[in-house]
Amino acid sequence: QTHLVESGGGLVQAGGSLRLSCRASGMILSVFSGSTKAWYRQAPGKERELVASLSTDGIVSYTDSVRGRFTISKDNTRRTVFLQMNSLKPEDTAIYYCNILYRRDLDYWGQGTQVTVSS
C-alpha cells in the first residue's frame, strides 16, 4: 500500500531555510517516475494553494510569491520529492502538503507538515 510520508517542517526565523521531504513509501519506480509531483500549502483561514509542481517531462512551475526562493526536485531512487525553501518570510507560514498524481487515476497526498516563520 502506497502512502506519502512528509518531514522537514519546523520553526524558523525570517530569512532562514527549510527543506521538506516527501517519501512515497510502497510506490513502484514506474509510477513514481511517471507521475506529476507537487507541493501545496494551506495557511489558517485560507484555501489550499499550489506552491510548486514538477511534471513528468521535467517542467517546473511555481506560484509567483515563491519563485526564486523555493525549488522543487525529486530523487527517483529514493522515491522522494523535495521542496527547498530559502529566504523564508512570515507569509510562508502554513501546513505544506505533497501530492503525487499518476495519470489522473492515482492521487496521493501527504499528511502535511507545519512550517512556521517568525518575524
Side-chain angles (χ1 to χ4, degrees), residues 13 29 33 35 53 74 92 99 103 115:
Q13 289 188 335
L29 179 58
S33 60
S35 62
S53 65
K74 64 180 176 68
D92 294 319
N99 174 254
R103 295 183 179 179
V115 171

Side-chain angles (χ1 to χ4, degrees), residues 6-116:
E6 298 183 31
S7 61
L11 173 64
V12 64
Q13 289 188 335
S17 297
L18 286 174
R19 188 192 196 203
L20 305 183
S21 298
C22 174
R23 181 174 59 86
S25 176
M27 184 174 286
I28 61 175
L29 179 58
S30 61
V31 172
F32 184 83
S33 60
S35 62
T36 298
K37 292 84 173 171
W39 287 94
Y40 290 75
R41 69 185 179 187
Q42 187 165 20
K46 296 188 177 181
E47 294 186 353
R48 187 175 296 189
E49 68 166 338
L50 176 62
V51 175
S53 65
L54 174 59
S55 71
T56 56
D57 50 4
I59 296 174
V60 297
S61 65
Y62 302 94
T63 191
D64 288 346
S65 62
V66 309
R67 189 174 294 113
R69 300 188 297 121
F70 290 11
T71 303
I72 187 172
S73 62
K74 64 180 176 68
D75 183 330
N76 285 345
T77 301
R78 296 165 59 186
R79 312 290 197 273
T80 301
V81 186
F82 303 99
L83 185 67
Q84 178 67 43
M85 306 185 294
N86 299 328
S87 302
L88 283 161
K89 304 176 181 180
E91 50 264 43
D92 294 319
T93 295
I95 298 175
Y96 284 71
Y97 300 89
C98 68
N99 174 254
I100 294 179
L101 180 64
Y102 180 71
R103 295 183 179 179
R104 301 185 180 184
D105 294 328
L106 302 178
D107 190 7
Y108 300 99
W109 289 88
Q111 81 279 11
T113 186
Q114 177 70 48
V115 171
T116 303

